[in-house]
Amino acid sequence: MLEITNLHVKAGGREILKGVDLRVKAGEVHSIMGPNGSGKSTLAQVLAGRETYEVTAGKVTYQGRSLLEMAPEERACEGLFMAFQYPVEIPGVGNTYFLKAALNAIRKARGLEELDAMDFLTLAKEKMTRLEVDDRLLTRSVNEGFSGGEKKRNEIFQMAVLEPTLAILDETDSGLDIDALRIVAAGVNSLRSPERAILVVTHYQRLLNYIVPDFVHVLVDGRIVKSGGKELALELEARGYAWVEAEARAAAPATA
Amino acid sequence: MTTSTNAIEALANREYQYGFVTEVEADTLPRGLNEDVIRMISAKKNEPSFMLEWRLKAYRYWAKMEQSEGEPKWANVTYPPIDYQNIIYYSAPKSKPKLNSLDEVDPEVLRTFEKLGIPLEEQKLLTGVAVDAVFDSVSVATTFKEKLAELGIIFCAFSEAVHNHPDLVQKYLGSVVPYTDNFFAALNAAVFSDGSFCYIPKGVRCPMELSTYFRINAADTGQFERTLIIADEGSTVSYLEGCTAPMRDTNQLHAAVVELIAHDDATIKYSTIQNWYPGDKEGKGGIYNFVTKRGKCLGRNSHISWTQVETGSAITWKYPSCLLQGDNSVGEFYSVALTNNYQQADTGTKMIHIGKNTRSTIVAKGISAGHGQNTYRGMVKILKGATGARNYTQCDSLLLGDKCGAHTFPYIEVKNATARMEHEASTTKIGEDQIFYCNQRGISKEDAVNLIVNGFCKKVFRELPMEFAVEAQKLLSVSLEGSVG
Ligand SMILES: Nc1ncnc2c1ncn2[C@@H]1O[C@H](COP(=O)(O)OP(=O)(O)OP(=O)(O)O)[C@@H](O)[C@H]1O
Ligand SMILES: [Mg+2]
């Protein structure tokens, strides 16, 4: 479904991703872990199409198409969803209004009929109940004044309504309390299907107890330096990143 | 370049959709202004002598001003000098409209309004909205007049009111905005040719929206209309004005005056959707919109509320204000002003608290895009006798891009220590992160900007009558086209 080859990305004049390779097949859940500042969010944002990042080399194919040539909204309409590490506030724009606009933009792009307010509300209510999202968040402005955890939960609520093909979750677990973590994880798991793939960026092994990944990758200094199964997350939890970094350094060609 | 920016550029090249000209035979006075022109205008309208005298006094006052200090210079706008002798002060479609029958109106004029989305046949109109249609210097038709008359409501062309209700006109004309108020108010008093007049009798709640639609058509003419609304004790009225003009390379002057009077327990809600031609992308042409609007809350518990959505005009100079004279009276000002390309707006309000326990609310939202310059200018004055007065002011600016500007000049003058004042202000740039967030959810750039801007304006839009809130949103998005890319 997603194939990233030798991806190099620059931001603020600095190279941040230095050759990332990653293949994600339909039905799989991949987790990306790595120290602060290693480039995890950069990778997520580049996949979502953020223009502040400059792709200097590499290729990304998504469902057989060149992802990097698509506008961000086009990617979204093709089923790519990213839950933001820092969800953005949009004052004055109602949360439901926004989500309905999003869903209908995507439906329209797919040649589906737009949902009217009634049908949309039925759908939204159903997802809300499932994700135990507070009713009051619906009528408020998008993310405005939401607590950290509420913002994260709102991201997952949006994901549930938009039903993406490829979901990228950037530290959705950070800031969630234990109950919320379980609910959010259940929401993500209910999306798991043979047609879909999920990319989970996280610092904590704990989340992976709930959303069990097929693969775990370690991103250090702009490169994936180690990949493994779900046990790798446990090992990282126990030992930290230093040993992976050391291993990577030892394996790297002595050019620098 | 992404497909979305292409789409936006295509839209940007779309033209102002009201920019057409109607071919109609007109009765036009020669260019220039002098006492004879004033007399001719008054004669054409067959006015009683009190009108002519008032006009002449106004003209003399204006002429003196023009010789001395000239136009007001304090506004944060720039434009080349206006040659007042090169303007045509009166132009009317020739087939003389008899105001009760649409058959008498030039079919070209009717078609014009139809094209503008304002069909004047009553059965075609939005139910619940009565319209007075003003074409260049005259009112060409007023709808639902009979129906309103059954309730004692007078809604007609100003020139008609001068004949049929001279006592009311004489009593209230200039009572809120005297001709000595300012340069453009004096000019308007001297040469105004028509406008709307509205009187709501005691205890009557006007059952429909009243609205006036102004259309400038003729070239090189100024438009000087005057609106007078009187809400008698315990009455309620909601009034809306809209306006458009053809696209022309030269600037045209629009200097209107609006006076509102609210007696005891009366409420007037006055909404404006201003969409005069703003000029082209290089700033050529467009309307100079120099307007004086003021409401007097004369009676106890009276209430005047201004809501304006200003998207048009090359230059806007406009401060709808409230004189809060009656005890417990309430004044409100809700404004969205948008400047794109080379538009300039200097707009705001004055709230003058005179009576006890008077309250005022100001919510001003300025949006600047392109090279647009947007100024909020507001004055809140609490006079000595205004014990217990309260004001809340919120003044927000939104910038799209980095070539535009937002400026705010709030003046506060408090002469009574019991006053409570609250002031909030903010300036924000539309965030790249906000747009990206919308994009990531499938919403295009252009829709994202509209969404964000509409969210920004929400507090004002919800003050508009329902039918027009949707209109205002659409207008805003059309006016913003090409501002993102
Ligand atoms: N627009 C930008 N301009 C300059 N530097 C940037 C920009 N965006 C990211 N960076 C830098 O790139 C590096 C990687 O950032 P990124 O947000 O991808 O890290 P991360 O792995 O998600 O970290 P965390 O775990 O803290 O979320 C950081 O050093 C960051 O400061
Ligand atoms: Mg991050």
Side-chain angles (χ1 to χ4, degrees), chain A residues 50 73 82 89 155 158, chain B residues 4 432 434 437 440-441:
Chain A
R50 186 124 195 194
E73 62 270 29
M82 180 182 74
E89 302 189 359
E155 294 290 286
Q158 293 182 6
Chain B
S4 70
E432 180 269 333
Q434 291 176 320
Y437 190 74
Q440 209 306 300
R441 299 303 185 244

Side-chain angles (χ1 to χ4, degrees), chain A residues 45 48-51 73 76 80-82 84 88-89 91-93 97-98 102 105-106 143 155 158, chain B residues 2-5 432-434 436-445 451-452 454-456 458 473:
Chain A
Q45 303 248 351
R50 186 124 195 194
E51 281 163 14
E73 62 270 29
L80 188 148
F81 177 94
M82 180 182 74
F84 284 60
V88 180
E89 302 189 359
V93 177
Y97 183 82
F98 174 77
I106 293 173
N143 293 322
E155 294 290 286
Q158 293 182 6
Chain B
T2 60
T3 44
S4 70
T5 42
E432 180 269 333
D433 55 342
Q434 291 176 320
F436 177 65
Y437 190 74
C438 295
N439 289 164
Q440 209 306 300
R441 299 303 185 244
I443 299 166
S444 70
K445 271 207 181 64
L451 201 77
I452 295 163
N454 276 308
F456 176 76
K458 192 181 195 170
Q473 283 194 22

